[in-house]
C-alpha cells in the first residue's frame, strides 16, 4: 500500500517576492539606525559599520536559523506548507533604544563610545526580559481576544509602516508613484509581471534607476570594506555596570521589553490567523536570545518576530525568503555594503513595499476576526495614532531648535500644553495614550471584544490589569515608578469593578433578553 508522504520544501518560487519585501524592511531599519548613530550621536564609522551593523547581522542570522527550523518542524507536524515567521530588528523598540537610552547618554557625556557600550548593555539585559515573556506568553495568548492582539498591530501598521512610507512616496512622486504602481500591480492585485519578475525587485530596480537619472541618489563606495563580527565582552560588561550604577535608565527597558515580547505574541497570533500556528513561547525565547547574541556582538537593538506574516503568506512564501535575508543582510553588513545601498536606493522606491505589508496585515485582520469585533480592532489602533502624534510633535520641536528658534519650552510644559490646547491639540492626553501604546491598545481591544461577547469578567480582568500596570508606570508613564494612585489608575479600577460586578446585577433581566434580541 502506497502512502503519500508530505515533504515540506524550504524554497518556493514565491519566496523571491517575499524576500525583497522582508529584505527592504530590514535594510531600511539598518539604514535608519546607522544614520542616526553616525550623524546624530556622532559615532565614528568604525563603531557604526564595524560593530553595530555586523552585530545586528549576527542577531538576524541566529534568529532566522531558529525560525527556519521551526517552520520545517511545524510543516512536517501539520502536513501542510507553512510560511516561516519573518524576523528582524523591532522598528518601534529601535527608536526607543536610540532616543531613550543611547541618546541621553551621548547628550549627557558627549561620549559616543560610552553611549554605544550602554546601548549593548541595555540590549543584553533587555533580551533577558524579553525571553522571560515565554513564561507568561502562552497564558496571555489564551485569555486575550484575537481582536485585541491584532488590533494593536494594525495601529502600528497603519501609522508607522504605512503612513510614513506613503509620505515618502509623495516626497519623490515620480519615483514613488511608479514604484507604487508596480507594487499595486504585482503584490496587491497579484498580476504577473513581465518575465515573472518579483514585484519588490522590479520596484527597487526601476526606482533606483529613475533616482540615479534624476540625480536623487548616487553610487559611492565610501565605507565598503571587511567588517568581521567580533564579541565585545569588555564593552558589554562596561555598559551593564553603567546601567547598574544608573538604574533610572534600566527602568526604561522593562516596559519597552514587555512591549517587545507582547509584540512577538501578537505577531504569532497574526500568523495563526493567516493559517500557520507557531508556539509562542519558543518565538519569545528566540527573540530574547537573538537580542542577547546581537548585543554581545555589538548591536544594541532588539530583534523580534516581525509584523507582516500574512503578507508573506499571501505571496505563497515558504522559508526560502527568510533564509535569503539571513544570507544577504549579513553579507552586506560584513563587507560594508550598507552605506553603498543607502546612497543608491531611494526611500521612495522601497516605501511602497512597506505600505503593502501594512495593508496586508490590516486586511487579513478584518478577515480573521468576527465582524462585530472590528469595533475592538478600531479601539486598539487609537493609542498608536497618539504615539505617532507625540513622535512627530517632538520631531517638530527638535527641528525648531536646530533652525535657531529660541525660548522654546518643552512639549509638555504648562505653557506649551495651554497653548496647544487653544489650538485643539490635546498633548497631555495623547502623551498618556502614547506611553506603552502597544499594551494599551491590546488592553482596550481586549476589553471591547470581551464586552461585545458578554465576557464581562474577562473584560474586567483586563481593566484591572490596566490599573496595575498604570500604577507602576508600565502604561501611561515614561518610566517605572513606585505604585501610585492617580486619575488613570482610578478610571481603570472603576471599569474593572463595574465590569466584573455587572453580570451579578444584570444576569436575571438583561443578558438572556439581549442575546435573544440580537
Amino acid at each position: 500500500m502506497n502512502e503519500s508522504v508530505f515533504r515540506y520544501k524550504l524554497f518556493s518560487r514565491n519566496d523571491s517576492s517575499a524576500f525583497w519585501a522582508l529584505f527592504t524592511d530590514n535594510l531600511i531599519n539598518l539604514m535608519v539606525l546607522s544614520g542616526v548613530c553616525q550623524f546624530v550621536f556622532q559615532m565614528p564609522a568604525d563603531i557604526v559599520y564595524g560593530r553595530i551593523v555586523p552585530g545586528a547581522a549576527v542577531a538576524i542570522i541566529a534568529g532566522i536559523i531558529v525560525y527556519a527550523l521551526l517552520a520545517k518542524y511545524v510543516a512536517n507536524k501539520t502536513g501542510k506548507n507553512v510560511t516561516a515567521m519573518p524576523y528582524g530588528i523591532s522598528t518601534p523598540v529601535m527608536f526607543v533604544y536610540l532616543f531613550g537610552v543611547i541618546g541621553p547618554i551621548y547628550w549627557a557625556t558627549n561620549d559616543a563610545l560610552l553611549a554605544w557600550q550602554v546601548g549593548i548593555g541595555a540590549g543584553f539585559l533587555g533580551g533577558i526580559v524579553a525571553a522571560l515573556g515565554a513564561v507568561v506568553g502562552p497564558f496571555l495568548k489564551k485569555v486575550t481576544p484575537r481582536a485585541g492582539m491584532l488590533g494593536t498591530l494594525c495601529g502600528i501598521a497603519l501609522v508607522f509602516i504605512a503612513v510614513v512610507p506613503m509620505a515618502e512616496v509623495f516626497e519623490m512622486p515620480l519615483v514613488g508613484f511608479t514604484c507604487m504602481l508596480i507594487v499595486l500591480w504585482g503584490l496587491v492585485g497579484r498580476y504577473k509581471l513581465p518575465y515573472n519578475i518579483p514585484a519588490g525587485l522590479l520596484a527597487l530596480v526601476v526606482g533606483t534607476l529613475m533616482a540615479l537619472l534624476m540625480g536623487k541618489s548616487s553610487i559611492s563606495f565610501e565605507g565598503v570594506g571587511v567588517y568581521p563580527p567580533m564579541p565585545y565582552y569588555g564593552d558589554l560588561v562596561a555598559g551593564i555596570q553603567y546601567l547598574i550604577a544608573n538604574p533610572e535608565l534600566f527602568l526604561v527597558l522593562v516596559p519597552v521589553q514587555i512591549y517587545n515580547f507582547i509584540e512577538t505574541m501578537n505577531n504569532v497570533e497574526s500568523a495563526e490567523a493567516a493559517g500557520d500556528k507557531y508556539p509562542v513561547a519558543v518565538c519569545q525565547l528566540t527573540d530574547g536570545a537573538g537580542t542577547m547574541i546581537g548585543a554581545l556582538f555589538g548591536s544594541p537593538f532588539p530583534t523580534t518576530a516581525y509584523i507582516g506574516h500574512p503578507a508573506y503568506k499571501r505571496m505563497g512564501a515558504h522559508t526560502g525568503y527568510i533564509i535569503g535575508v539571513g544570507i544577504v543582510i549579513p553579507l552586506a553588513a560584513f563587507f560594508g555594503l550598507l552605506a553603498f545601498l543607502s546612497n543608491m536606493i531611494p526611500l521612495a522606491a522601497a516605501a511602497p513595499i512597506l505600505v503593502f505589508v501594512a495593508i496586508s496585515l490590516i486586511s487579513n485582520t478584518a478577515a480573521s476576526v468576527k465582524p462585530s469585533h472590528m469595533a475592538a480592532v478600531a479601539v486598539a489602533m487609537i493609542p498608536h495614532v497618539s504615539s505617532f502624534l507625540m513622535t512627530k510633535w517632538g520631531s517638530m520641536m527638535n527641528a525648531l531648535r536646530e533652525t535657531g528658534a529660541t525660548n522654546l519650552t518643552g512639549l509638555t510644559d504648562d505653557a506649551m500644553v495651554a497653548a496647544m490646547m487653544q489650538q485643539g491639540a490635546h498633548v497631555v492626553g495623547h502623551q498618556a495614550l502614547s506611553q506603552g501604546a502597544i499594551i494599551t491598545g491590546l488592553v482596550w481591544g481586549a476589553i471591547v471584544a470581551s464586552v461585545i461577547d458578554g465576557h464581562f469578567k474577562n473584560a474586567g480582568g483586563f481593566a484591572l490589569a490596566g490599573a496595575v500596570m498604570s500604577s507602576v508606570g508600565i502604561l501611561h508613564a515614561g518610566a517605572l515608578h513606585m505604585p501610585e494612585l492617580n486619575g488613570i489608575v482610578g478610571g481603570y479600577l472603576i471599569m474593572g469593578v463595574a465590569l466584573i460586578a455587572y453580570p451579578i446585577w444584570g444576569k436575571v433581566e438583561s443578558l438572556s433578553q439581549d442575546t435573544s434580541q440580537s
Side-chain angles (χ1 to χ4, degrees), residues 234-260:
D235 294 293
L236 178 61
V237 171
I240 292 174
Q241 290 175 337
Y242 190 95
L243 285 167
I244 293 174
N246 298 272
E248 69 277 2
L249 282 172
F250 177 67
L251 292 178
V252 174
L253 305 180
V254 177
V256 171
Q257 288 301 341
I258 290 174
Y259 161 96
N260 209 31

Side-chain angles (χ1 to χ4, degrees), residues 80-269:
K80 65 177 185 179
N81 290 320
V82 301
T83 298
M85 289 294 295
Y87 180 78
I89 294 171
S90 172
T91 305
V93 178
M94 176 185 75
F95 283 106
V96 173
Y97 271 67
L98 280 171
F99 296 105
V101 178
I102 299 173
I105 296 298
Y106 173 74
W107 292 319
T109 65
N110 207 31
D111 187 338
L113 177 62
L114 177 62
W116 167 71
Q117 290 173 332
V118 174
I120 61 174
F124 189 85
L125 294 175
I128 296 174
V129 177
L132 291 176
V135 177
V136 298
F139 170 75
L140 287 174
K141 187 174 182 295
K142 182 179 179 181
V143 301
T144 307
R146 175 172 287 182
M149 289 191 284
L150 298 188
T152 195
L153 286 183
C154 286
I156 297 172
L158 176 66
V159 299
F160 290 107
I161 304 178
V163 170
V164 174
M166 198 68 175
E168 290 164 350
V169 166
F170 276 77
E171 288 172 353
M172 195 184 292
L174 292 179
V175 173
F177 279 38
T178 302
C179 296
M180 180 63 78
L181 175 61
I182 295 171
V183 168
L184 291 175
W185 186 7
L187 295 180
V188 180
R190 305 184 73 179
Y191 295 102
K192 286 188 176 181
L193 297 175
Y195 307 106
N196 287 325
I197 300 174
L201 172 61
L202 184 61
L204 289 177
V205 170
V206 171
T208 299
L209 290 175
M210 291 180 67
L212 288 171
L213 291 173
M214 296 165 59
K216 299 294 185 179
S217 65
S218 61
I219 296 176
S220 172
F221 294 95
E222 182 180 357
V224 175
V226 179
Y227 303 99
M230 297 177 59
Y232 296 97
Y233 298 104
D235 294 293
L236 178 61
V237 171
I240 292 174
Q241 290 175 337
Y242 190 95
L243 285 167
I244 293 174
N246 298 272
E248 69 277 2
L249 282 172
F250 177 67
L251 292 178
V252 174
L253 305 180
V254 177
V256 171
Q257 288 301 341
I258 290 174
Y259 161 96
N260 209 31
F261 79 67
I262 288 181
E263 180 184 24
T264 298
M265 181 184 73
N266 292 345
N267 288 333
V268 171
E269 180 68 18

